[in-house]
Every structure is written in structure tokens, then in C-alpha cells.
Amino acid sequence: MRTDKDNVLKVGIVQHSFLSDVETNRTRNVSAIANLAAEGAKLIVLSELHDSLYFCQTENVDNFDLASELPGDFTDFYGAAAADNGVVVVASAFERRAPGLYHNTAVVFEADGSIAGMYRKMHIPDDPGFYEKFYFTPGDLGFNPIETSVGRLGVLVCWDQWYPEAARLMAMAGVEVLVYPTAIGWNPDDTADEKERQRMAWITIQRSHAVANGLPVVSVNRCGFEEDPSEQTSGIDFWGSSFVAGPQGELLYEAPEDRPDEACVEINLARSENVRRWWPFLRDRRIDAYGDILRRFRN
Amino acid sequence: MRTDKDNVLKVGIVQHSFLSDVETNRTRNVSAIANLAAEGAKLIVLSELHDSLYFCQTENVDNFDLASELPGDFTDFYGAAAADNGVVVVASAFERRAPGLYHNTAVVFEADGSIAGMYRKMHIPDDPGFYEKFYFTPGDLGFNPIETSVGRLGVLVCWDQWYPEAARLMAMAGVEVLVYPTAIGWNPDDTADEKERQRMAWITIQRSHAVANGLPVVSVNRCGFEEDPSEQTSGIDFWGSSFVAGPQGELLYEAPEDRPDEACVEINLARSENVRRWWPFLRDRRIDAYGDILRRFRN
């Protein structure tokens, strides 16, 4: 168990909108990292694919030019940002692993700029406006924690957030914080009611991972409207709403839906142990009866 | 897929407080079933252990006298209530399976009064005021749906509600509605903030099962204060808050925290299929990487 001194972790969340110009996005991201580090953040989380527009709105082979080899220019850049500010950074890369083989990969940098670990997005969505199966091969690194100086992180990415299995596997590996870089938004043509059902479902499922596992959750989304270059859809209105929840799913911070936000939020890592003593869900799992979880469907 | 005519299901929820007198509780339960059937409910859900006070506040061997053999007097009584009103009823029994072998068992009655199926609570809690491991052997019927004339029901009980695995296994078996009879409340000594965190965690985790699985959820709790006969604790203030959620986790109905409530709520079973087409989570589960779910912990 942590000592009192180590218990409070200040987390910086960077909810930005992005432009097509990668250099501008990077400059703004580094500026946010510096701002939040100056506020005392020790762990800073960027949103998914924060170096570019959300290019998955169309299937276009030219977009593979946006990918980066890891390690390479991407890790040099964000590693330097972590080191310059002495903070752990969760960044999100479009990984070029080989010609014709790409991943959606979170990279965690230690406060000295070294790579603490990587997580390749395991669940890949595909629906109109989110053609990720065209771009990303599903991850092959499994659901494994990344050890850092601020704690053992369970980094998952966007579509992973809908899967209780992913959060559970991270909790079972002893993670102390669940972290979700994400890029999710509305179809502008949907009704206000439908939009709110979707946004609330997204918040609810991630808060539930905190509840089920007695762990804090940090979820960082982008915001702003991005048009569909193919003009087949009305584009995506990214809904922001980044948040931090404590280990009972209680909301510690909620960012606005409609504009950029940078916030430094305190989480108490010792509280997880207390909550798990009160509600010891891990004690009572019926692992003797869960076998069919590994099937596609029970028919 | 269901026809339009079959899509709307009226669900009756019975949020009661209870007395020590079983006959009074039963009379009130049957009255609620009749009232809700008259309002058009076709599926009526009672809360957990609705024939008695929540006797698990203490470990007392005399309480085993409250148990019923199944089938027996309990099923005769509630089967008749189902038949008399022509409705499917989800009831909750303290099952006496053999001397020294008891379960916390949900019994589902068909609208003709026959037993459609039973579910024995799989996850059993145990903490001060909720000494269920003393009374109930963990269920051995697995996570299996119960077929009824109003649809395929996934009945789970109380502590099961904290386990995403249970809801997932039911969804994978093709259930159309998740149903949770429950008995949960506050320690009156807790702060208002802590009470609200607990109540919201309970709502959040169950709404998340709707979201993760694209299924409606019906959760029915008891309400009212029950004292601790041993006077070791300050008793339990059962928090009501029974609710019905649609397949995006959207709240369709919420009962009050502090008083009995009977409500008839419409759910549209066809909406689940639409929601699953928009957000096809079942498509993308990484069953190749979930194996460790069957372990106790990953260390």
C-alpha cells in the first residue's frame, strides 16, 4: 500500500480540437503539457490521434503518410516534451510498424523522456465516419499495464472503453489508474435526444469500469467539428466531455462538450484500496462459471 | 427479429418496504401484481427476498425457518398470482434445497402459473449487515436465460449486478431483457456524500450492462429502514431507486429513494437490435485475448 505522501496524483488532461497541420497541433500539445506541468500535474494525458485531424472519416491510402515509426520522430518529440517538463505523458500515435501494417498505439513516456511502454488498441471500430479497420490492425500486445514513476497505468484506447473485459484484465494485472485517450463524436444530423443518449452511454460505461474494478478512470476526448473530406456524411462533432472519475465512479472533473479545455485534477490512489475493502468485488468473481466469456456467442 | 406488434413490453416494478409478517408481505405483493396487471404490465418484477425482512443483517440459525422448498408453498402462491393475473412474474425465494443447503433463488413464473425457470444467485456478498455467505450457497445453475412468453429473460440477483461478466454471459446467451431483483441500502451512519456515491455507483454499473450489451435493464430494489436485530450496526436504510433503462443505458423510469412505488414502464425490445447495429460491440470482442478473465488475478 502506498504511503500517504504518495497517494495524491495530479493528472493533467488535454482536451483539444485539431487542425490538418501536424506542426501546429504538436506545438499546442506541448504548450498544454508545459501549462499543466506548471500547475503541478505529474501525469498528463492527451486524446487519441492528437497530431492530426481524425483521418478515419474516409478510407484514403494517402493518410498512411501520417503514420510514424516507433521509436522515431513521434517518440523523440513527445519524449522531449515529457523530459522538458518532468512529467509522465500518455500520447497517442498512428504507428507504422511495417509497410502495410499499422496500429493505433498509445505511447507512455517516463518523466525522463524514455518510453515507459506502449499499448496497441485491441478493439478496432468500423462504422460510417469511423473507418478504423481500414487503417489499424488490432493490437497484439494484449491488455497489459505500463509501469511508470506515478503508478501502474492501464492504458486503453477509445473503442476499448466499451468492453468491460479490457478494464477487468487491466485491474487484474494490478493497474492503479485506467486511462482512455479517445476520439468520439456525434453525427451532426442526429437528434439532440440521440446525441445525449450516446454521450451519456459513453460516460456511463467508463464510470462503470471504475465501479466494477475499484479504480480511478481518466478519459480524454477531442472536441470540435471536423468535416468529412468525402462529403458522404455531415462530418463529426467531437463531443469533448473528458472526465476523471474516482474508484466508485464518482465524477471528479468533467470538461465541457464544445470547447478545448486543459485541467489539472487530483486523484487519491489510496482510496481504491478503501473502496475495494468496502465492496470486495474481486473476492467473489465466479471464475468457475465464466468460461463462455471466451466464446463468440453462446449458441 | 420481432414484429412491430410484439416489440413493446410493459414491465411492472414493485418497490416495497417489508414487515416481519410474511403473510402481510405476500398480500401486498399480490395486490401490486394485480394493480400492475390491470395497468397492462405483462412482466412484473418483485425485489429480492420480498417475503420477509432482510434477515441477513445477522447470522441466526432460526432464520433458516424462513426458507421454502422449490417447488412448494412459495411457488404455489406466486404461481397462482401469475395465473390469476395472466402475467409473467419474477419472484425471489430463500430456497431450502436440503437441510443445511440453501440458495438465494429467483423464480420466474409463466403467465399460466407454471414455473418458467429458476436462477440461483451466483455471486454472494458478505459484509457487515449483509451476511449472505452464512445463508446462501453460491448458485450452481450458471448464467442461463429463462424463456418466457414475453421474451428471453436474463435474471440476475443483487450482488451479481456488480459483475460485468454475468451480464455479458446472459447477453451472449441471447437474452432480451436483464432483470435484477435486489436489496441494497445505506448504513445510516454514512455521510450524505458517501451515500450518494454508493447509490450512483449502483445505478451506473447496471446502466453500463445495458450499454455494453445493447439490452434493456430492469432493476427492482426494496425501500425503507430495517433495524439490525443484533444492534451491532445502525441497521439498513434501503435506498429504493428501482429503475428501467433502455439498451443505451438511458433511464426510462426511476423510482423514489424513500418510499414504496409501483410503476408500469414500456420498453421497446426492437430497439436493442437497432442499437446493436449502430454500436456493434459484440462484433469486435477480442476473445483471443480474454483468457486471463478466467484467472483469480494476474499475478
Side-chain angles (χ1 to χ4, degrees):
Chain A
M1 195 172 176
R2 287 167 172 275
T3 64
D4 279 351
K5 168 175 159 298
D6 295 327
N7 285 338
V8 173
L9 174 62
K10 290 191 177 181
V11 181
I13 63 177
V14 183
Q15 173 177 301
H16 278 186
S17 57
F18 301 106
L19 307 172
S20 59
D21 183 62
V22 170
E23 292 313 312
T24 302
N25 296 327
R26 284 193 171 182
T27 300
R28 291 179 181 178
N29 289 333
V30 169
S31 170
I33 290 169
N35 293 343
L36 290 163
E39 284 189 54
K42 296 299 179 194
L43 169 65
I44 296 177
V45 181
L46 305 177
S47 65
E48 187 185 17
L49 300 171
H50 48 67
D51 273 7
S52 67
L53 293 172
Y54 182 71
F55 54 85
C56 310
Q57 286 204 65
T58 58
E59 298 195 355
N60 180 346
V61 292
D62 293 339
N63 285 334
F64 288 108
D65 290 339
L66 291 166
S68 306
E69 293 188 14
L70 303 178
D73 169 67
F74 180 92
T75 55
D76 290 347
F77 184 83
Y78 286 103
D84 290 347
N85 295 285
V87 291
V88 173
V89 172
V90 179
S92 170
F94 180 15
E95 178 188 2
R96 180 184 188 277
R97 191 172 178 184
L101 180 59
Y102 300 79
H103 295 286
N104 184 325
T105 302
V107 185
V108 179
F109 297 93
E110 195 37 273
D112 64 3
S114 62
I115 297 175
M118 302 200 308
Y119 167 81
R120 292 188 176 125
K121 186 173 181 175
M122 290 287 282
H123 302 94
I124 306 295
D126 196 281
D127 56 280
F130 296 83
Y131 296 107
E132 295 199 18
K133 288 191 193 296
F134 175 76
Y135 291 103
F136 310 125
T137 291
D140 58 354
L141 297 177
F143 300 99
N144 289 306
I146 296 174
E147 300 281 353
T148 75
S149 57
V150 298
R152 186 178 290 183
L153 306 183
V155 179
L156 295 161
V157 178
C158 204
W159 194 240
D160 293 322
Q161 66 214 169
W162 303 100
Y163 294 84
E165 293 92 341
R168 181 69 99 201
L169 285 163
M170 287 296 193
M172 289 172 60
V175 310
E176 295 171 285
V177 186
L178 290 168
V179 179
Y180 292 91
T182 183
I184 190 166
W186 293 300
N187 176 340
D189 300 335
D190 274 336
T191 64
D193 280 357
E194 177 58 30
K195 287 178 180 175
E196 189 59 4
R197 278 194 296 274
Q198 294 184 4
R199 193 181 73 93
M200 288 308 297
W202 176 82
I203 293 172
T204 299
I205 192 78
Q206 291 179 92
R207 291 175 69 186
S208 84
H209 304 325
V211 174
N213 298 294
L215 282 177
V217 169
V218 177
S219 180
V220 181
N221 191 22
R222 66 173 62 195
C223 62
F225 174 75
E226 297 183 23
E227 65 183 5
D228 175 358
S230 74
E231 297 182 351
Q232 290 182 295
T233 73
S234 301
I236 303 175
D237 198 5
F238 291 94
W239 67 49
S241 307
S242 303
F243 69 88
V244 178
Q248 290 168 298
E250 73 276 23
L251 287 171
L252 302 177
Y253 184 78
E254 278 190 279
E257 295 176 19
D258 57 352
R259 57 187 185 279
D261 189 49
E262 298 170 6
C264 185
V265 186
E266 288 192 4
I267 57 179
N268 186 332
L269 297 177
R271 188 161 171 82
S272 301
E273 169 127 5
N274 292 334
V275 166
R276 287 189 186 181
R277 289 182 185 198
W278 302 329
W279 282 349
F281 306 139
L282 291 178
R283 182 188 64 190
D284 296 328
R285 295 177 68 241
R286 289 297 304 273
I287 55 176
D288 60 306
Y290 291 167
D292 279 358
I293 290 275
L294 306 186
R295 293 174 62 183
R296 181 60 65 205
F297 205 69
R298 298 174 71 195
N299 64 2
Chain B
M1 196 174 175
R2 286 166 174 274
T3 64
D4 279 350
K5 168 174 158 298
D6 296 327
N7 285 339
V8 173
L9 174 63
K10 290 190 178 182
V11 181
I13 62 176
V14 183
Q15 173 176 302
H16 279 185
S17 57
F18 302 106
L19 306 173
S20 59
D21 182 61
V22 171
E23 292 314 311
T24 302
N25 296 327
R26 284 193 173 181
T27 300
R28 291 180 180 176
N29 289 334
V30 169
S31 170
I33 290 169
N35 292 343
L36 290 163
E39 284 188 54
K42 297 300 180 194
L43 169 66
I44 296 177
V45 181
L46 304 177
S47 65
E48 187 185 17
L49 300 170
H50 47 68
D51 273 7
S52 67
L53 293 172
Y54 181 71
F55 54 85
C56 310
Q57 286 204 62
T58 59
E59 299 195 355
N60 180 346
V61 292
D62 293 338
N63 285 334
F64 288 107
D65 290 338
L66 291 165
S68 306
E69 293 188 12
L70 303 178
D73 169 67
F74 180 92
T75 54
D76 290 346
F77 184 83
Y78 286 103
D84 289 347
N85 295 285
V87 291
V88 173
V89 172
V90 178
S92 169
F94 180 16
E95 179 188 1
R96 180 184 188 277
R97 191 171 177 185
L101 180 59
Y102 301 80
H103 295 286
N104 185 325
T105 303
V107 186
V108 180
F109 297 93
E110 193 40 271
D112 65 3
S114 62
I115 297 175
M118 302 199 309
Y119 167 81
R120 292 189 177 124
K121 186 173 180 174
M122 290 287 282
H123 301 94
I124 306 295
D126 196 281
D127 56 279
F130 296 82
Y131 296 107
E132 295 201 17
K133 288 192 193 295
F134 175 74
Y135 292 103
F136 311 125
T137 290
D140 58 353
L141 297 177
F143 301 98
N144 289 305
I146 296 174
E147 300 281 354
T148 75
S149 57
V150 298
R152 186 178 289 183
L153 306 183
V155 179
L156 296 161
V157 178
C158 204
W159 195 240
D160 293 322
Q161 67 214 169
W162 302 100
Y163 294 84
E165 293 92 341
R168 180 69 99 201
L169 284 163
M170 288 295 193
M172 289 171 61
V175 310
E176 295 171 286
V177 186
L178 289 167
V179 179
Y180 292 91
T182 182
I184 190 167
W186 293 300
N187 176 340
D189 300 335
D190 274 336
T191 64
D193 281 356
E194 177 58 29
K195 288 178 180 175
E196 188 59 6
R197 278 194 295 274
Q198 293 184 6
R199 194 181 73 93
M200 289 308 296
W202 176 81
I203 293 172
T204 299
I205 192 77
Q206 292 178 93
R207 291 176 68 186
S208 84
H209 304 325
V211 173
N213 299 292
L215 283 177
V217 169
V218 177
S219 179
V220 181
N221 191 22
R222 67 174 61 196
C223 62
F225 174 75
E226 297 184 24
E227 64 183 6
D228 175 358
S230 75
E231 297 182 349
Q232 290 183 297
T233 72
S234 301
I236 302 175
D237 198 6
F238 291 94
W239 67 50
S241 307
S242 303
F243 69 88
V244 178
Q248 290 167 300
E250 73 276 23
L251 287 171
L252 302 177
Y253 183 78
E254 277 191 280
E257 295 176 20
D258 56 352
R259 58 187 186 278
D261 189 49
E262 298 170 5
C264 186
V265 185
E266 288 191 3
I267 56 180
N268 187 332
L269 298 176
R271 187 161 171 82
S272 300
E273 169 127 5
N274 292 335
V275 166
R276 288 188 185 180
R277 289 182 185 197
W278 301 329
W279 281 350
F281 305 139
L282 291 177
R283 181 188 64 192
D284 295 328
R285 295 177 67 241
R286 288 297 303 273
I287 55 176
D288 60 306
Y290 291 167
D292 279 357
I293 289 275
L294 305 186
R295 294 176 62 185
R296 182 59 66 205
F297 205 69
R298 298 174 72 195
N299 65 0

